[in-house]
Amino acid sequence: MDPIHALQPLLMEAKPLATLLPDQSKWADIATRLKDVLPAAVYNPGYLCIAYYGYQQDPHIFSYAGNYRLPMEKRPKFDQLGVDTVAFLKEFMDARGQWRYIESQDWYKNHEYVIAVEVNYYGNRSGKAYTMSPLFHKDTGGNNLFVNLIFDNKKPIEATEWFVDVQEPSGKRAEWQKTLLPEAHLKDLAALRRRLRESGEYTTPKVNGGVLEGENIYVSWVDDLVWHATPSLNERIAYTADAAIEAYTLISIGLKEGKTFTQGPARIHPVELLATIADEPNSRLAQWLTTENKRIQDLDFELARTAWFALYEPNAVNFSRDVKLRGEKPWHMVGDVAQSISHDARLNKPDAQAPTIEETPAGLSMVRRANSLNKGQLKEVAEANKEVPRSFIRTWVRVIPRTAEELKTHHVLLK
């Protein structure tokens, strides 16, 4: 089987669960029990369990019951919910074709890597998240193959915002993932990105989202190939060349000090601002990045600072020219930089500023979001759901080396 063909249909899917698994009784039972066992799992997740799979082996399930200091008489109920949820997710992943892809890989069949299906529960992830600009990101520490969200909604629901990521990862992310993921999988991802770019369909990002009809919606994607965000009613910051020129000194200070700044009512991230200028291919900044063998997604404080002092600090006219050129096209920002690698303690090294990796998705500043193009329907659904908990399980499907310290820590015994 061609692994590229196997991955492409898995890019992103958002549908009622019944279209995938007609029998809803298992999920209804699990959703009810989750509310009982993890009632405090509101915006932050309640950790349920991790199921570790070796090739053609039953899962070893690590329960998070110990985290909650449960009385011994309550632990069997918690642990059994984990067992039943893992069994349900196996059916779900089979139906989505995720296990078909995994089990076709030599790196899994030769027992070099293990699959970790991490299960978290949100009892009500809503509220403040819907009043912010959408913060696009990727999940986990860079070793996530798939992400699956399964809601227990009965009414139409605000959908996850997302777009296909056809760009090569930043240099820092690529180097980090070489230490985490099988070389063959990285090649699959690179080949599929090329295929998607060559198709022309994804040259300009299309930010999907909005409202999904039906009960028990699931949202499922390949994490490396999608940027996603919690849906937001707010629009992004509409920016202009005049605003950029006015902020010239603030940008310079922000880059020198490694900080964001406030301009009017908006918080501006100087790295995101420079990255959105580079979305204009005729800008001096875009051309400078090319000569440095860098891309938009490589811009972090360090590189943005270097670019600023090479191009704009010695000559404000260069900056004015670039932003006026950029201002001829739609210009939107979220006020932050996207997170491509979530917090991971292993990244916290002496030469790293923080245990995370950030990138600005190329082209996002030029397009509209589906959520802002049809705000009427979204507001109506959000209002109807104001008192309804936005509850779901989130599954991270991670690939880890068989020698990983995590397996030892969680006392995982695989053949």
Side-chain angles (χ1 to χ4, degrees), residues 30-87:
I30 288 169
T32 299
R33 292 158 63 193
L34 282 165
K35 289 180 173 65
D36 175 51
V37 169
L38 289 168
V42 186
Y43 191 79
N44 291 314
Y47 298 102
L48 183 63
C49 64
I50 305 177
Y52 295 98
Y53 289 84
Y55 182 61
Q56 293 185 337
Q57 297 177 44
D58 293 332
H60 176 111
I61 300 177
F62 168 79
S63 172
Y64 277 107
N67 283 27
Y68 302 98
R69 297 192 177 94
L70 295 176
M72 288 305 296
E73 65 271 15
K74 291 188 176 182
R75 175 152 186 167
K77 186 178 182 181
F78 188 103
D79 291 346
Q80 187 59 49
L81 177 56
V83 170
D84 294 344
T85 303
V86 166

Side-chain angles (χ1 to χ4, degrees), residues 95 119 169 186 229 271 287 326 329 384:
V119 187
L186 292 172
V271 174
Q287 293 164 1
R326 177 63 186 84
K329 298 174 183 176

Side-chain angles (χ1 to χ4, degrees), residues 187-374:
K187 287 180 178 178
D188 286 351
L189 292 172
L192 184 50
R193 289 189 192 101
R194 276 196 307 274
R195 184 175 295 182
L196 294 171
R197 287 196 299 269
E198 290 165 0
S199 74
E201 184 179 352
Y202 303 101
T203 303
T204 301
K206 179 183 177 184
V207 184
N208 302 278
V211 173
L212 286 174
E213 306 281 347
E215 297 185 3
N216 301 327
I217 294 295
Y218 73 86
V219 188
S220 175
W221 65 87
V222 179
D223 198 44
D224 262 288
L225 300 173
V226 168
W227 289 100
H228 73 282
T230 299
S232 172
L233 292 172
N234 279 13
E235 294 192 33
R236 291 166 293 168
I237 303 160
Y239 212 62
T240 65
D242 288 343
I245 291 169
E246 181 183 302
Y248 178 85
T249 301
L250 293 174
I251 298 167
S252 182
I253 294 171
L255 288 171
K256 289 174 185 174
E257 298 182 353
K259 297 179 180 178
T260 60
F261 62 88
T262 301
Q263 186 176 17
R267 183 172 76 107
I268 306 295
H269 198 300
V271 174
E272 183 195 19
L273 176 52
L274 260 65
T276 61
I277 293 170
D279 276 334
E280 168 50 60
N282 293 315
S283 66
R284 281 179 168 82
L285 177 55
Q287 293 164 1
W288 181 88
L289 286 171
T290 299
T291 62
E292 296 294 314
N293 199 28
K294 300 291 185 181
R295 299 180 297 272
I296 290 171
Q297 52 269 41
D298 288 310
L299 280 165
D300 55 13
F301 267 114
E302 181 183 357
L303 184 60
R305 193 179 295 118
T306 300
W308 180 265
F309 282 98
L311 297 172
Y312 301 141
E313 183 77 13
N315 192 340
V317 175
N318 283 345
F319 182 72
S320 297
R321 174 197 173 276
D322 270 6
V323 297
K324 286 175 182 177
L325 190 63
R326 177 63 186 84
E328 294 174 2
K329 298 174 183 176
W331 193 350
H332 300 92
M333 295 192 296
V334 301
D336 212 334
V337 180
Q339 193 174 66
S340 65
I341 299 294
S342 297
H343 184 282
D344 192 307
R346 293 171 298 176
L347 274 168
N348 197 12
K349 300 174 182 178
D351 60 342
Q353 289 187 337
T356 188
I357 293 175
E358 296 178 328
E359 297 179 25
T360 297
L364 179 61
S365 68
M366 297 191 186
V367 298
R368 297 300 303 275
R369 298 156 47 221
N371 270 356
S372 62
L373 292 173
N374 191 1

Side-chain angles (χ1 to χ4, degrees), residues 361-390:
L364 179 61
S365 68
M366 297 191 186
V367 298
R368 297 300 303 275
R369 298 156 47 221
N371 270 356
S372 62
L373 292 173
N374 191 1
K375 289 187 290 186
Q377 184 188 27
L378 186 69
K379 285 182 178 179
E380 182 180 325
V381 169
E383 183 63 30
N385 287 335
K386 186 183 292 185
E387 304 301 325
V388 179
R390 183 183 172 82

